[in-house]
């Protein structure tokens, strides 16, 4: 049925050990830059994991998921700046709004298959980005979205702003843990089995009485909600929202690339992909600076080519093959 292979034998002990190690990192790492790098790695791992709910589980290759991150970021920022509503509440509001937009997109688009669906998501994402760029106001509020929105600087937990990067580190680790648990739960549930059947052979799934449109819409809604939460986190971390960063194609492409490199059908694939690729991209960008525009995209392109050629199952597929061989050898003796 094409289940996530790492969910067949779920062992909580190694995961708890890794979780404890991640929680202890700020106690031993004093470098602000390393904490920042880990935050960025886990942020992109989170967003890619959110994408995988519809891209990996349901097999729908969306290249417009930055829309939902943008909705989360803009909603929480506008509510915070105009009404003083806590970004924690704005985060939930942005998630709900993203679900509504996802439903509006999914109902017509998820009936499309393969390339046609992917092209439809690109078209919607670019249309939405251009609309935001051209927007001077939303309702009675002047926003000048093309210039970017500044998040009001008001320190405190309820304001979702902190002097140190450490609280942001713990928040993104918590968000990442939540989305991984959600993905694992779905993969092991009836919904996950239905999505796997749809991903492997939609016609066969329909013949078995499964409604592909319904279950793909459910997956799209969950994915959009989780992605929007990440958009709010990013806005609060960088204290600015602009359509070129939060709504650009770069983010949508990265959400697709990290699961592809790490293992598209693995719960932890997006995390593995982010741990490998994001630090390389960040270090390359810091070394090259503005001398080579789009250097990160060059790195990601090379990673895709190498993965497709040498590791078609991604890093997790290679690990599974590597560790399965000794087990098979021991079983035959």
């Amino acid at each position: 049925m094409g289940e996530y292979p790492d969910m067949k034998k779920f062992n909580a002990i190694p995961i708890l050990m890794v979780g404890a190690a991640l929680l202890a990192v700020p106690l031993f790492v004093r470098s602000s830059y390393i904490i920042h790098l880990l935050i960025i790695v886990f942020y992109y791992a989170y967003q890619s994991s959110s994408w995988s709910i519809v891209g990996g589980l349901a097999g729908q290759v969306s290249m417009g998921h930055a829309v939902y991150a943008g909705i989360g970021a803009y909603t929480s920022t506008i509510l915070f700046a105009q009404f003083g509503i806590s970004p924690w509440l704005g985060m939930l509001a942005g998630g709900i709004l993203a679900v509504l937009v996802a439903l509006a997109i999914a109902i017509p688009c998820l009936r499309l298959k393969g390339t046609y669906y992917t092209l439809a998501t690109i078209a919607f994402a670019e249309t939405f980005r251009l609309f935001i760029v051209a927007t001077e106001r939303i309702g009675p509020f002047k926003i000048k979205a093309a210039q970017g929105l500044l998040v009001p600087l008001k320190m405190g937990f309820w304001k979702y702003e902190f002097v140190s990067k450490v609280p942001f580190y713990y928040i993104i680790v918590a968000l990442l843990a939540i989305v991984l648990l959600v993905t694992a739960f779905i993969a092991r549930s009836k919904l996950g089995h239905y999505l796997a059947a749809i991903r492997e052979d939609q016609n066969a799934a329909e013949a078995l009485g499964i409604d592909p449109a319904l279950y793909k819409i459910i997956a799209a809604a969950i994915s959009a909600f989780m992605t929007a939460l990440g958009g709010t986190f990013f806005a609060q971390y960088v204290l600015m929202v602009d359509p070129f960063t939060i709504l650009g194609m770069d983010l949508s492409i990265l959400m697709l690339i990290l699961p592809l490199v790490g293992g598209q059908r693995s719960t932890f694939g997006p995390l593995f992909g982010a741990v490998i690729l994001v630090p390389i991209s960040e270090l390359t960008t810091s070394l090259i600076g503005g001398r080579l525009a789009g250097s990160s995209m060059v790195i990601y392109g090379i990673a895709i080519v190498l993965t497709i050629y040498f590791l078609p199952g991604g890093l997790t597929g290679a690990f599974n093959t590597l560790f399965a061989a000794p087990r098979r050898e021991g079983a035959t003796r």
Side-chain angles (χ1 to χ4, degrees):
M1 192 68 74
E3 296 179 5
Y4 272 31
D6 52 356
M7 287 295 101
K8 292 181 179 179
K9 294 182 179 180
F10 186 79
N11 190 341
I13 296 177
I15 296 174
L16 291 175
M17 292 175 63
V18 172
L22 290 178
L23 293 177
V25 165
L27 300 177
F28 300 97
V29 176
R30 300 301 180 184
S31 171
S32 179
Y33 176 74
I34 293 178
I35 295 296
H36 164 75
L37 185 59
L38 289 173
I39 290 172
I40 296 300
V41 168
F42 295 148
Y43 166 71
Y44 285 121
Y46 170 85
Q47 293 292 45
S48 297
S49 297
S50 301
W51 176 91
S52 285
I53 294 173
V54 71
L57 287 170
Q60 301 299 297
V61 183
S62 168
M63 292 188 67
H65 252 53
V67 166
Y68 307 127
I71 289 172
Y74 275 100
T75 301
S76 61
T77 300
I78 291 173
L79 290 177
F80 188 31
Q82 300 292 340
F83 300 104
I85 296 176
S86 169
W88 292 105
L89 298 177
M91 171 187 278
L92 297 177
I96 294 170
L97 182 57
V99 169
L100 297 177
V101 173
L103 294 177
I105 299 172
I107 290 173
C109 290
L110 282 177
R111 298 183 183 277
L112 302 174
K113 298 180 181 179
T115 306
Y116 297 105
Y117 170 76
T118 302
L119 292 175
T121 60
I122 294 174
F124 182 84
E126 280 301 289
T127 300
F128 187 84
R129 185 182 66 82
L130 292 174
F131 168 76
I132 292 296
V133 168
T135 298
E136 292 290 325
R137 62 171 60 237
I138 295 179
F141 309 117
K142 293 183 178 180
I143 62 171
K144 295 183 179 180
Q147 299 177 16
L149 297 178
L150 294 177
V151 178
L153 189 59
K154 299 177 181 179
M155 296 298 172
F157 178 82
W158 191 240
K159 306 299 183 182
Y160 207 138
E161 293 174 6
F162 313 96
V163 175
S164 168
K165 288 182 170 62
V166 173
F168 286 107
Y169 172 86
Y170 284 120
I171 290 171
I172 194 59
V173 167
L175 287 173
L176 180 59
I178 290 170
V179 76
L180 291 177
L181 288 172
V182 168
T183 304
F185 176 79
I186 293 174
R188 294 165 65 91
S189 69
K190 183 185 293 186
L191 173 60
H193 292 296
Y194 287 167
L195 292 175
I198 294 167
R199 182 186 67 230
E200 297 299 324
D201 191 330
Q202 182 167 315
N203 293 330
E206 286 184 281
L208 292 173
I210 299 172
D211 185 349
L214 172 62
Y215 291 106
K216 288 192 289 186
I217 287 172
I218 293 173
I222 297 171
S223 178
F225 181 83
M226 302 303 294
T227 305
L229 300 188
T232 295
F233 170 84
F234 188 77
Q236 294 301 127
Y237 182 61
V238 301
L239 294 177
M240 183 176 181
V241 183
D242 74 89
F244 305 101
T245 300
I246 199 70
L247 288 170
M249 280 297 297
D250 287 2
L251 178 57
S252 293
I253 293 172
L254 191 57
M255 289 186 200
L256 184 152
I257 291 174
L258 297 183
L260 180 66
V261 173
Q264 195 168 347
R265 295 187 182 179
S266 166
T267 304
F268 300 99
L271 176 58
F272 293 153
V275 168
I276 297 297
L277 288 184
V278 174
I280 296 175
S281 173
E282 288 289 314
L283 291 173
T284 302
T285 302
S286 63
L287 291 173
I288 296 177
R291 288 175 289 175
L292 180 59
S295 57
S296 59
M297 286 296 106
V298 174
I299 293 172
Y300 298 143
I302 294 172
I304 289 177
V305 173
L306 293 176
T307 300
I308 292 174
Y309 190 79
F310 293 105
L311 302 172
L315 293 174
T316 52
F319 292 152
N320 290 334
T321 302
L322 180 64
F323 291 111
R327 288 197 298 267
R328 287 197 301 266
E329 183 179 346
T332 56
R333 290 179 178 178

